[in-house]
Amino acid sequence: MTSLRKFVIGIGISFGLPWLLLIVVPAISAQKLTTLSYDKERDGMEGAYPGKGIYRQGQLIYAKEGCTQCHTQMIRPGFAGILDPWKKGWGSDQAETPAQPIRPSTQRDYMFEPYAYLGVQRNGPDLTNAGYRLADKSRLEIHEHLYSPQAVNKWSIMPGFRHLYKVQPIQAAGSPKALKLPAAFAPEKGYEVVPTAEAEELVNYLLSLKKDAPIPGEVVADTAAKK
Amino acid sequence: METTETTSLEDSLRRAAIDRSVKGPVLFLFANAALWLLAATVLGLVSSVKLYAPEFLDSDWTWFLNYARVQPAHMNALIYGWAMQAGLGTMIWLMARRTGQELKGASTVIIATIFWNIAVTLGLLSILFHGSTSMQWLEFPKYLWPIFTISFLMIATRLVGMFARAHKEGEGFMITSWYILGACFWFPWIYLTANLFLHCFGSSLNGASAAGINAWYVNTLILLFFVPVGLGACYYYLPKITGQPIYSSQLASLGFWGLAFLGGWTGIQKYMGGPLPAWMPAIGGAVMILLLVPAGIVALNFHISTEGRHGLIETSPTLRFVFVGSFCYLALSAVGALLGTFWTGSLLQFTYAEYGFHILAIYGFFSMTMFGAIYYIVPRLSGCEWLSARLIRSHFWFSVYGTAALVVCMLLGGLAQGASINAPGNWNLPFVGSIINARGYLIGRTVAWVFILWSNAWFFIHLVLMVLGLGRRSVAPTLLHHEESHAPATA
Amino acid sequence: MNQPQNFDNTDLDRLHAAVKRENPDVVAGREPTPLWVIVGMMIMTILGGGYAGAYVGGFDSEKSNPFIERPIDPRGAGIVTGPQLDAFQLAMKKGSTVFNNCQGCHQPTGLGQPGAIPPLAGSEWVLGGTERIARIAMHGLAGPVSVKGASYNNVMMPPVMSDDEIANVLTYVRNSWGNQAPMVTKQMVAKVRAEVKDHVGPWSPTDLEKYKEMNCPGEIPAGPGATAAPVAAPDPATKK
């Protein structure tokens, strides 16, 4: 056997093993994951887990804009110094002091999306359950945050996604979708800022980010009531 | 200490012929690479400022210069524009020299390089103006990966062919060739897997699986492409310049196969505690600890091999860069192990520390090693010597200071950021705390990129002058100290 | 290998010079692996294996959280979680703390001191218009009053309280000792404060006569306590 052949066999085995066992086989078997059903007796609720996925059209905008560079989308378990389960507003319970810690994300939470944007860094809050957090705000408030984050939090380092918005002259009474911006961020007099279709899709996606449905078999009493 | 050849006229003419055969492609690759290095450095500088001053360069016509676009553009330019091309150029020269073969079909390589650079240009413009795929280090639009694959294969098949022709039955020990050959097989395998799964089979994958494959790609690109090419260069230049053989072929072999067997298991530890099955990040973290073994073995081998000749660092530019690079290999293994486990990495997860690790791997280890290789190779191809020892020295020091500052700032800044996000007292506070805690380190990052920009700008100019044949016409090499030394005149 | 023939004279010297000064290639040495390297490998294997063993979750692909126990809340003692109190229950809880400032005169039993301090239990002032008692809680009362048929003539000086505290203590007082009346909210108190912001000193009963039946306008949050019949008003006898 030539050196090359021996070498190729060596590489084939040494790399082929993790390639198969870590990448190929788990990816294929993860495709076969199905939803789990709640049991009315045991869990006190009905339906399937997870219920529905995220809004895919908007997720394409999320990816295009590169939001994963600063925002993560996974809740980690509360050990080894990690505080994810107790961060205020990061779960479905938006109360001042939520009754339960937020549960860690599971593989099924992401089964309806082809690529989960779990995130590169956490320069801003986690967005796994942003849908609950943003439910209190009006769509215009969310748009305002995307257009000029510094108008909402003056210490914010988030970039303003102004290219997702149109500055147009005010016609008649003005558009109902015009953003209400403080003076420092507002366009010049006679102009208003309205969201483009892409911005609307992005907001739809953000509002669809709700991944805190309880796992069948692990339902705690008052979380069942919240569903 | 036996030598396989003496520097007879025949041998040196043969080497000169080999050098001549690779001259066009390798110089073309190096020149393009250095240009992208400059672009990547500028982009890195801009993105570092955006992290604490988003209003910097924030006008209506620079709308594409936000951190979310500039940062991926910076990393992709660094990796695919600079690192891969510098690596390919070095691989070609090293393989040609080690196998004693002239490169056949240099024009194919040049065509591949042209397509590679077109693809990088299109990809970067797309990230900036259209938007990225948001898949880490695969942010180029999804129609570009076939171009990169085919270009790489066009070059890699030549290298494999050279190896096959030269090494028949069990011929001696050739660690550099193994590393280069390994890289030729590993990169296409990794790149194709990642791109096929994420872009072609993507629609039916589980989202978390896809993210795991992406994280695997990032780590294995470092461990199974950049590390082998860098180590291959180190294993060639250290004995070449010091004149002393590698201390132990058995250790070198252990180091190589250790990396080969372990490298493919890493990557998913980036998402430890995340939605993927727990055993995946656990194996990744455990293997990062185990990878300290090959790293230590390689470092030991280098250290003993160069014993007694460390003084040559004073004079030889290549040895200086390669020495720093090889030290950074040990450092990157240590940092990787630190980041990979719950024991030490849970606070550092999702912080700047990962960026520091990546820069340590791509810049601190790989780029420094490639600089050493370029300083050795280019005079032999262009027929003239480097113009100015001062430029080389300033390139070296500004790069070392810049990279060291960058890595240290990012590791410490990552710790500050992670500690702030996870501090129990901050559970209900807005994010301002972690921003303020890490701000000093981010400013340090900008300063570091300024240093690196200064060094790379001069490097680019210096390299272009050499490629154009405008270097020093001399038989004496450009060394970093002009006094007479008792060491033989090697460069 | 044959000598290459494709050089011209000008190239030869330069290229030749560069390669001529190169060191010859040397074969690697054959030193065996030192023993302590093997020992180092074993130590790393134990460390790596230990980590994997602890966190591998039994290689169960259904399990993404490798930790078995429930996490312990690291935030310290001050955070109270558990079933949430609704707005009324919260106001009662906080109001009883605020009332500690008032019980010196009005007594913990709410019965006051006969002849000196009017009672709060069953008092038509407490159960009547909230506009009136909001003003009293803000600035005090001085002058002759008649409560439950008895007359009192004293000066009441309440401590300075925030809108929230006034709302809570009024809610508490209106729903203790057998009293039952709709709660008072912070917004109602804030409106009153805006109206009377120029007023100084205690009110006189005649000034407040017109507010006898007037309730502060405002929304009361939905919940059992918002109606006139709260689910469970705390019995002061069982309260410490």
Side-chain angles (χ1 to χ4, degrees):
Chain A
M1 217 193 276
T2 63
S3 295
L4 179 62
R5 198 170 295 174
K6 269 192 274 196
F7 184 84
V8 170
I9 291 176
I11 298 274
I13 296 175
S14 61
F15 186 71
L17 215 61
W19 179 76
L20 264 180
L21 296 180
L22 193 68
I23 302 296
V24 177
V25 170
I28 293 177
S29 62
Q31 285 180 320
K32 305 199 178 77
L33 277 178
T34 55
T35 57
L36 301 174
S37 305
Y38 294 110
D39 179 59
K40 189 84 173 109
E41 302 271 319
R42 176 192 62 185
D43 302 321
M45 47 195 282
E46 284 184 320
Y49 160 76
K52 51 186 215 142
I54 44 78
Y55 181 63
R56 176 75 182 139
Q57 280 301 319
Q59 191 180 50
L60 296 174
I61 313 291
Y62 183 89
K64 212 156 68 76
E65 294 303 323
C67 310
T68 48
Q69 290 294 326
C70 296
H71 288 284
T72 56
Q73 279 187 25
M74 63 178 236
I75 303 287
R76 304 175 290 171
F79 294 88
I82 294 170
L83 200 71
D84 288 17
W86 296 285
K87 292 293 268 189
K88 175 161 171 282
W90 282 21
S92 52
D93 190 345
Q94 294 291 313
E96 270 299 315
T97 52
Q100 296 293 328
I102 309 166
R103 70 158 173 84
S105 308
T106 65
Q107 201 165 11
R108 282 194 169 78
D109 287 329
Y110 305 89
M111 61 188 278
F112 296 122
E113 45 201 288
Y115 182 92
Y117 294 95
L118 298 181
V120 174
Q121 271 181 23
R122 214 171 243 176
N123 296 333
D126 184 271
L127 297 179
T128 316
N129 295 305
Y132 299 108
R133 202 154 70 233
L134 297 174
D136 286 335
K137 300 196 201 267
S138 69
R139 287 184 73 99
L140 279 185
E141 282 178 313
I142 304 174
H143 280 299
E144 185 189 305
H145 198 147
L146 289 171
Y147 182 77
S148 57
Q150 285 75 26
V152 178
N153 295 314
K154 64 180 193 313
W155 40 260
S156 175
I157 54 166
M158 174 168 155
F161 290 90
R162 299 198 297 277
H163 53 276
L164 292 177
Y165 294 85
K166 248 189 338 226
V167 177
Q168 62 187 24
I170 300 182
Q171 312 259 10
S175 163
K177 302 205 291 185
L179 307 192
K180 299 178 188 16
L181 297 164
F185 301 92
E188 56 194 51
K189 214 153 157 28
Y191 285 85
E192 60 183 3
V193 178
V194 287
T196 57
E198 286 191 338
E200 297 284 10
E201 298 289 11
L202 183 57
V203 169
N204 289 338
Y205 169 68
L206 293 174
L207 289 171
S208 76
L209 281 168
K210 293 179 173 173
K211 292 195 167 100
D212 207 17
I215 300 174
E218 294 172 31
V219 180
V220 183
D222 55 0
T223 58
K226 246 185 277 296
K227 188 189 189 269
Chain B
M1 175 179 113
E2 44 170 303
T3 56
T4 47
E5 40 201 286
T6 53
T7 338
S8 69
L9 184 69
E10 190 186 316
D11 292 325
S12 42
L13 279 176
R14 180 163 60 96
R15 283 197 209 134
I18 293 173
D19 285 350
R20 198 179 193 174
S21 72
V22 300
K23 170 179 174 173
V26 171
L27 286 182
F28 190 48
L29 277 164
F30 284 164
N32 279 303
L35 182 62
W36 287 121
L37 179 63
L38 203 53
T41 311
V42 170
L43 288 168
L45 182 59
V46 171
S47 86
S48 71
V49 179
K50 288 286 186 177
L51 269 178
Y52 54 87
E55 64 277 3
F56 175 67
L57 290 184
D58 187 29
S59 71
D60 282 336
W61 58 274
T62 55
W63 59 269
F64 51 89
L65 283 184
N66 64 35
Y67 177 78
R69 290 177 188 233
V70 177
Q71 177 70 6
H74 154 64
M75 287 312 282
N76 280 275
L78 191 66
I79 293 167
Y80 300 102
W82 151 250
M84 298 236 29
Q85 292 200 90
L88 281 169
T90 308
M91 280 159 80
I92 294 174
W93 188 86
L94 282 175
M95 195 57 119
R97 278 295 195 98
R98 283 315 263 142
T99 56
Q101 309 253 317
E102 291 183 35
L103 176 69
K104 306 249 182 313
S107 48
T108 327
V109 176
I110 293 188
I111 293 175
T113 309
I114 292 175
F115 275 107
W116 185 282
N117 283 287
I118 292 177
V120 172
T121 313
L122 283 175
L124 285 180
L125 288 176
S126 178
I127 293 178
L128 285 176
F129 293 103
H130 175 253
S132 66
T133 59
S134 270
M135 298 175 182
Q136 202 179 7
W137 294 12
L138 290 169
E139 284 99 345
F140 284 155
K142 63 182 191 186
Y143 56 82
L144 284 180
W145 67 264
I147 303 182
F148 286 113
T149 313
I150 295 174
S151 302
F152 186 89
L153 286 174
M154 278 162 77
I155 301 177
T157 43
R158 256 149 245 300
L159 301 183
V160 174
M162 275 194 228
F163 184 92
R165 276 196 297 279
H167 296 288
K168 302 291 180 208
E169 292 292 324
E171 200 198 86
F173 170 75
M174 40 202 149
I175 188 68
T176 297
S177 313
W178 280 2
Y179 273 115
I180 308 287
L181 201 60
C184 288
F185 281 103
W186 284 320
F187 177 76
W189 199 339
I190 294 167
Y191 194 69
L192 271 173
T193 305
N195 280 286
L196 283 175
F197 271 87
L198 293 179
H199 289 138
C200 293
F201 312 147
S203 52
S204 56
L205 274 185
N206 175 289
S209 290
I213 294 176
N214 196 175
W216 172 84
Y217 170 74
V218 169
N219 239 36
T220 46
L221 187 67
I222 294 177
L223 288 174
L224 294 178
F225 183 76
F226 293 130
V227 164
V229 176
L231 286 182
C234 290
Y235 271 112
Y236 183 83
Y237 290 113
L238 286 176
K240 189 65 139 166
I241 295 173
T242 58
Q244 292 177 172
I246 293 292
Y247 170 69
S248 163
S249 60
Q250 189 184 64
L251 280 181
S253 205
L254 265 176
F256 175 79
W257 287 111
L259 183 68
F261 272 91
L262 293 174
W265 292 100
T266 61
I268 302 187
Q269 73 274 8
K270 179 190 160 79
Y271 293 126
M272 57 186 173
L276 286 156
W279 61 269
M280 290 185 181
I283 298 277
V287 167
M288 291 306 278
I289 295 178
L290 289 175
L291 276 169
L292 290 170
V293 170
I297 287 176
V298 165
L300 179 71
N301 216 359
F302 286 163
H303 178 73
I304 301 183
S305 308
T306 56
E307 212 142 51
R309 306 291 266 167
H310 288 150
L312 281 173
I313 293 174
E314 302 271 320
T315 52
S316 164
T318 300
L319 200 62
R320 260 196 209 190
F321 279 99
V322 164
F323 176 78
V324 170
S326 57
F327 171 74
C328 284
Y329 174 50
L330 201 54
L332 90 90
S333 302
V335 172
L338 209 73
L339 293 179
T341 64
F342 280 115
W343 290 337
T344 47
S346 56
L347 280 188
L348 295 170
Q349 201 182 3
F350 296 132
T351 64
Y352 307 120
E354 190 203 42
Y355 178 69
F357 169 63
H358 289 159
I359 292 292
L360 180 59
I362 299 173
Y363 209 97
F365 166 69
F366 186 72
S367 299
M368 295 302 266
T369 326
M370 290 299 105
F371 288 144
I374 290 176
Y375 279 117
Y376 191 88
I377 296 174
V378 171
R380 281 159 182 76
L381 301 186
S382 60
C384 44
E385 295 299 329
W386 293 99
L387 279 168
S388 154
R390 173 173 297 163
L391 276 185
I392 302 179
R393 239 181 282 138
S394 104
H395 178 211
F396 176 75
W397 285 115
F398 278 97
S399 278
V400 165
Y401 286 145
T403 312
L406 190 55
V407 172
V408 167
C409 278
M410 288 298 94
L411 291 176
L412 292 178
L415 192 59
Q417 188 189 17
S420 173
I421 295 177
N422 290 299
N426 289 348
W427 69 277
N428 58 348
L429 296 180
F431 244 70
V432 57
S434 77
I435 293 172
I436 291 179
N437 279 356
R439 180 167 292 160
Y441 298 105
L442 292 175
I443 297 179
R445 171 172 164 171
T446 305
V447 173
W449 278 114
V450 170
F451 275 33
I452 297 175
L453 179 61
W454 177 254
S455 76
N456 287 343
W458 286 113
F459 171 67
F460 175 66
I461 294 172
H462 208 179
L463 179 65
V464 166
L465 289 172
M466 287 291 281
V467 166
L468 293 175
L470 297 173
R472 248 174 1 107
R473 302 272 148 164
S474 161
V475 297
T478 309
L479 297 177
L480 297 178
H481 274 254
H482 294 293
E483 311 101 53
E484 279 295 297
S485 65
H486 49 271
T490 55
Chain C
M1 280 211 177
N2 297 331
Q3 278 207 12
Q5 304 297 322
N6 53 349
F7 285 117
D8 58 56
N9 287 330
T10 49
D11 273 350
L12 185 64
D13 287 334
R14 284 203 300 277
L15 285 177
H16 198 193
V19 302
K20 234 180 108 156
R21 66 172 188 258
E22 277 178 35
N23 280 332
D25 289 338
V26 288
V27 173
R30 295 184 193 283
E31 302 299 324
T33 312
L35 183 63
W36 60 267
V37 168
I38 312 270
V39 173
M41 276 198 240
M42 282 169 22
I43 295 176
M44 286 299 148
T45 312
I46 292 173
L47 273 177
Y51 178 77
Y55 293 106
V56 105
F59 286 103
D60 182 0
S61 286
E62 289 281 325
K63 213 160 154 221
S64 56
N65 178 3
F67 301 97
I68 308 172
E69 324 84 37
R70 299 210 51 157
I72 303 170
D73 192 334
R75 292 173 296 168
I79 319 287
V80 175
T81 58
Q84 289 296 291
L85 302 171
D86 70 67
F88 172 75
Q89 290 167 318
L90 206 57
M92 288 298 285
K93 197 153 168 259
K94 292 187 175 169
S96 77
T97 318
V98 181
F99 188 74
N100 290 336
N101 297 318
C102 320
Q103 62 188 12
C105 293
H106 287 290
Q107 301 309 310
T109 51
L111 293 172
Q113 298 164 30
I117 313 281
L120 301 174
S123 159
E124 69 275 20
W125 286 65
V126 168
L127 296 167
T130 52
E131 292 266 8
R132 180 160 67 163
I133 48 172
R135 281 166 168 76
I136 297 175
M138 234 176 256
H139 298 118
L141 190 64
V145 297
S146 163
V147 181
K148 284 171 80 168
S151 4
Y152 304 84
N153 193 343
N154 218 325
V155 175
M156 166 181 159
M157 283 310 298
V160 175
M161 293 183 280
S162 68
D163 292 349
D164 210 14
E165 290 170 327
I166 294 178
N168 291 335
V169 76
L170 289 180
T171 304
Y172 175 75
V173 150
R174 277 156 70 82
N175 288 284
S176 302
W177 319 294
N179 290 350
Q180 276 179 11
M183 64 184 285
V184 178
T185 67
K186 186 167 108 171
Q187 287 78 10
M188 296 173 184
V189 176
K191 258 198 218 105
V192 170
R193 199 186 282 280
E195 284 169 26
V196 302
K197 62 178 182 309
D198 297 325
H199 182 93
V200 262
W203 298 87
S204 80
T206 40
D207 291 340
L208 296 179
E209 193 60 26
K210 62 177 183 293
Y211 296 113
K212 201 151 80 157
E213 304 295 332
M214 262 211 239
N215 279 320
C216 300
E219 285 273 304
I220 296 178
T227 63
V231 173
D235 182 348
T238 60
K239 172 174 90 94
K240 269 216 4 239

